[in-house]
Amino acid sequence: MTVLLSGRDAYKDELANLAETEGRIICLETDLGGKNHPFQKRHPERFLNLGIAELAGVDIAAGLAEAGYVPFISTFAAFAALRASESVKLSMGYMGKNVKVVAAYGGVSGGWFGTTHHALEDIAVMQSFQNIRIACPHGEEETRRVIREAAASAEPYYIRLSRNDKFDSLYRSSDSSCRELLIEDGKLTKSLSQLCLISVGEQATELCKELAKEYESITHAHACYVDSQILQTYVEPLKALSNRFLVVEEHRATGGTASYLALLMPKHQVYSHSCGDQWPTYGGSHTEVLADLGFGLEPLRRQIQTILGGTDGI
Amino acid sequence: MQNIPVYSEWEMPISEIADKAKEARKLIIDMAATPTGCHIGGSLSVIDLLVVALAKYGHDPNSSVILSKGHAAAALYASLYVYGRLSSNPAESYGKQGSLYTGHPNHKLPGIPFATGSLGHGVAYAAGWALAQKLKGTGGLGIVIGGDGELQEGLCWETAQIAQAQSLSNFVYIIDCNGGQNDGMIEDISPIRNVKERFKAFGFAVKEIDGHRHEDIFEAIAPDRDKPLAILARTIKGKGVAALEGHPDSHYAKIPANLAKRWKVSLT
């Protein structure tokens, strides 16, 4: 039986696989890649731990990209999106350098590590920098696909991963890109559904899978890429599903996917199930910290019922 | 008769480099005489470093010359123009609507691979370029020209740390030490003590030169065999224009055309 990998480990393994045939790939870490990194083991000459230097790391990656390499640089989301944000803005957004930032510990997946290591603002920051592809894959297979897509693309990427949780990705046909909106199986009907859940990221997708099973009248669409340009391509497929949308995203409401989709679909109702405005203050596991922020199965169920007019409306 | 030393791959004699520097200074003054004005003091201090670096390595596809103190964009445009890398005179449209000659280096222009000016970034980018050349084994250099005020940015030191850790012996960090920054003199705002010792402590080879002597600059810009290289180039803010030289207020100027004419005539 194959052991399922977390998105973070799937990234390392897939990149090491790709580097077997793609000599331009360079793997950069800023001292948070962990020991026994598979890329380091398999391609030591192209693995560089730059040390604790995220801001310089992104600019150095830009220099490598200019010289023809395809650098993947990984650190925690809070540091990639916030500490290194000016480098990301200039090198990747403005100048479009072919740099791939792989940001683990997205959202509050750092759990008890505390607020310094949480990133509930990263999508907002990244979405405001045009030209950067933002991917939030769910589970091992989708993460591997996103890594392959990033390596094959000349565009800059921000790939948001979680920590150590392991999930089976939703089924996606082998010939479809992760840039396409994924409608969970068995939920397509001829008429519009009462509500369409749009999941972004791992925890959110797991919640939506659960609730889509529970309510026949609800559709589940999974969005892997959430940058402003790709979100625009989701609009027509989404309109074919429902008039009401609830975006479930481990992020703040401000600057999140729901807020941008609301701009793109002004005649539709777009709601958000997010981590709200509170700072995560208390310890606990990933799920427990999310629960403290009002993000989880029960609050989401209640929100759905409210949107649909109570349990009678469903 | 003394042999004229040859100072570049395209065999430019040092006397010609001096001519290029003078020509570039005139262009910088012309850019100060545009409606927007320009960062003239730092442009005049750095121009000799730029014209020599570009003469020596500007045509090497494996080397990259980056101006990290991007507010001196006028100097970069001027030096690229005098070498024929830019086809239009930057002083004719500098700062105007629709012009690519923006106040900080514009990567949409030939010869400018990286937009700089937000200080420190060009240093790290050049280190990345050097790292790429090291991995490829081309022998190419990553050359960055920064400012001494810029050293107040932590990013410069973050990069220095990485450069020594990665043994980037093909990384050349030239520092235009003109002693000034936007709001005044470095010494009065945030003095930088023991710069030479600091770079040595970061594992760099260090050379100190007169940043206006072309021969010295040329000789200094060569990769160290086993260490990254820092060149502390002593320069004068506003060099070449007596009214500006060493004056903290020369950082940025917008001047009338008749004054520009006088300053150009007076250039030594």
Side-chain angles (χ1 to χ4, degrees):
Chain A
M1 183 183 161
T2 308
V3 178
L4 201 62
L5 294 181
S6 67
R8 203 155 60 111
D9 286 335
Y11 152 63
K12 296 173 188 174
D13 187 63
E14 191 63 28
L15 194 68
N17 292 343
L18 288 170
E20 295 287 349
T21 53
E22 177 51 270
R24 297 179 304 151
I25 290 176
I26 303 281
C27 181
L28 303 174
E29 289 282 350
T30 55
D31 205 41
L32 290 171
K35 295 183 176 68
N36 303 314
H37 197 300
F39 196 103
Q40 184 176 22
K41 285 182 178 171
R42 291 165 63 181
H43 313 285
E45 73 287 356
R46 282 185 278 153
F47 176 88
L48 300 166
N49 185 345
L50 298 178
I52 308 157
E54 301 84 4
L55 184 58
V58 172
D59 286 330
I60 284 172
L64 285 161
E66 185 72 15
Y69 285 108
V70 182
F72 281 71
I73 178 166
S74 183
T75 184
F76 291 0
F79 312 140
L82 300 168
R83 177 170 281 181
S85 67
E86 193 184 45
S87 295
V88 171
K89 172 199 158 190
L90 293 172
S91 294
M92 298 167 61
Y94 177 52
M95 287 180 269
K97 303 295 185 193
N98 187 11
V99 172
K100 322 296 179 183
V101 170
V102 182
Y105 279 60
V108 295
S109 57
W112 62 270
F113 283 114
T115 306
T116 53
H117 283 50
H118 294 155
L120 289 170
E121 308 81 9
D122 58 335
I123 304 298
V125 172
M126 290 293 153
Q127 233 180 40
S128 65
F129 302 149
Q130 300 302 297
N131 301 327
I132 299 174
R133 297 284 78 77
I134 304 170
C136 302
H138 163 257
E140 177 180 346
E141 177 52 30
E142 192 169 69
T143 302
R144 288 183 184 276
R145 282 201 196 201
V146 164
I147 299 303
R148 292 197 293 272
E149 289 177 0
S153 166
E155 295 172 307
Y157 264 66
Y158 178 81
I159 302 167
R160 191 212 219 200
L161 304 176
S162 286
R163 190 171 173 240
N164 293 331
D165 289 340
K166 301 166 186 178
F167 300 107
D168 269 322
S169 301
L170 292 168
Y171 172 75
R172 192 187 286 272
S173 65
S174 59
D175 59 347
S176 75
S177 162
C178 292
R179 294 184 183 205
E180 294 172 21
L181 195 67
L182 180 62
I183 315 301
E184 195 180 353
D185 282 346
K187 284 291 178 181
L188 276 176
T189 57
K190 287 182 182 174
S191 56
L192 296 178
S193 61
Q194 276 192 296
L195 177 69
C196 175
L197 299 176
I198 302 171
S199 64
V200 178
E202 292 195 321
Q203 299 290 335
T205 305
E206 289 298 307
L207 296 181
C208 291
K209 278 167 61 181
E210 187 75 20
L211 288 167
K213 268 187 230 157
E214 204 169 300
Y215 300 115
E216 274 300 312
S217 58
I218 290 178
T219 309
H220 172 205
H222 170 61
C224 179
Y225 284 80
V226 293
D227 56 271
S228 58
Q229 284 153 306
I230 291 186
L231 283 179
Q232 289 171 35
T233 71
Y234 294 162
V235 168
E236 291 309 315
L238 283 173
K239 284 179 180 174
L241 295 174
S242 182
N243 286 322
R244 278 193 289 209
F245 302 94
L246 174 54
V247 180
V248 185
E249 182 175 32
E250 188 176 339
H251 193 272
R252 298 199 186 285
T254 306
T257 303
S259 64
Y260 198 72
L261 279 176
L263 290 175
L264 292 171
M265 297 190 289
K267 293 180 180 171
H268 291 70
Q269 291 170 290
V270 181
Y271 302 91
S272 168
H273 185 75
S274 68
C275 293
D277 300 326
Q278 300 302 308
W279 292 101
T281 305
Y282 303 106
S285 68
H286 185 182
T287 309
E288 288 164 344
V289 174
L290 283 174
D292 281 340
L293 297 171
F295 185 97
L297 199 61
E298 279 310 314
L300 180 57
R301 185 180 283 121
R302 286 197 297 274
Q303 191 174 1
I304 290 170
Q305 289 170 358
T306 302
I307 291 168
L308 297 180
T311 49
D312 293 342
I314 297 173
Chain B
M1 183 181 168
Q2 190 181 359
N3 286 336
I4 297 173
V6 170
Y7 281 101
S8 79
E9 289 80 356
W10 33 303
E11 301 191 344
M12 178 175 286
I14 199 72
S15 60
E16 197 169 322
I17 290 178
D19 290 343
K20 295 293 184 192
K22 191 169 182 177
E23 194 183 337
R25 278 196 161 82
K26 288 180 181 174
L27 286 165
I28 291 166
I29 293 168
D30 283 340
M31 280 181 260
T34 59
T36 57
C38 79
H39 288 89
I40 188 168
S43 293
L44 291 171
S45 73
V46 81
I47 193 66
D48 296 300
L49 301 169
L50 269 169
V51 291
V52 176
L54 287 170
K56 192 169 183 184
Y57 290 104
H59 286 235
D60 175 5
N62 294 320
S63 293
S64 190
V65 178
I66 301 297
L67 177 70
S68 191
K69 46 169 281 181
H71 53 279
L76 183 58
Y77 299 150
S79 53
L80 288 170
Y81 181 67
V82 299
Y83 287 135
R85 301 284 294 277
L86 298 172
S87 56
S88 62
N89 183 336
E92 289 175 0
S93 68
Y94 181 83
K96 288 184 181 170
Q97 185 180 18
S99 171
L100 289 175
Y101 294 115
T102 49
H104 291 82
N106 192 332
H107 75 292
K108 303 288 185 187
L109 290 166
I112 303 178
F114 199 73
T116 57
S118 180
L119 295 174
H121 292 286
V123 182
Y125 169 85
W129 178 273
L131 182 56
Q133 302 314 312
K134 184 187 169 202
L135 290 168
K136 290 179 177 179
T138 65
L141 306 184
I143 301 167
V144 59
I145 304 176
D148 50 354
E150 187 177 10
L151 291 174
Q152 290 162 13
E153 286 282 4
L155 180 50
C156 302
W157 301 103
E158 200 173 291
T159 305
Q161 173 73 22
I162 293 170
Q164 60 87 23
Q166 296 295 331
S167 303
L168 290 183
S169 58
N170 61 338
F171 176 56
V172 179
Y173 187 178
I174 305 171
I175 298 148
D176 174 25
C177 299
N178 66 22
Q181 58 187 102
N182 187 68
D183 283 356
M185 301 308 285
I186 291 169
E187 190 62 24
D188 299 327
I189 294 169
S190 181
I192 303 166
R193 309 288 185 219
N194 307 318
V195 177
K196 185 177 178 181
E197 288 73 21
R198 281 198 208 187
F199 273 103
K200 282 187 174 175
F202 271 87
F204 277 59
V206 183
K207 295 177 184 173
E208 289 183 283
I209 62 167
D210 179 335
H212 298 302
R213 282 182 55 84
H214 300 138
E215 298 90 337
D216 293 359
I217 300 165
F218 183 90
E219 295 300 339
I221 306 177
D224 192 86
R225 296 227 172 128
D226 58 5
K227 291 177 180 175
L229 171 64
I231 299 173
L232 307 182
R234 305 295 171 197
T235 61
I236 297 168
K237 200 152 185 164
K239 173 70 176 175
V241 177
L244 299 177
E245 284 192 358
H247 201 293
D249 290 342
S250 74
H251 188 76
Y252 192 98
K254 190 160 56 173
I255 60 173
N258 60 344
L259 184 58
K261 195 174 178 182
R262 287 208 302 274
W263 282 0
K264 285 193 287 183
V265 171
S266 72
L267 280 174
T268 51

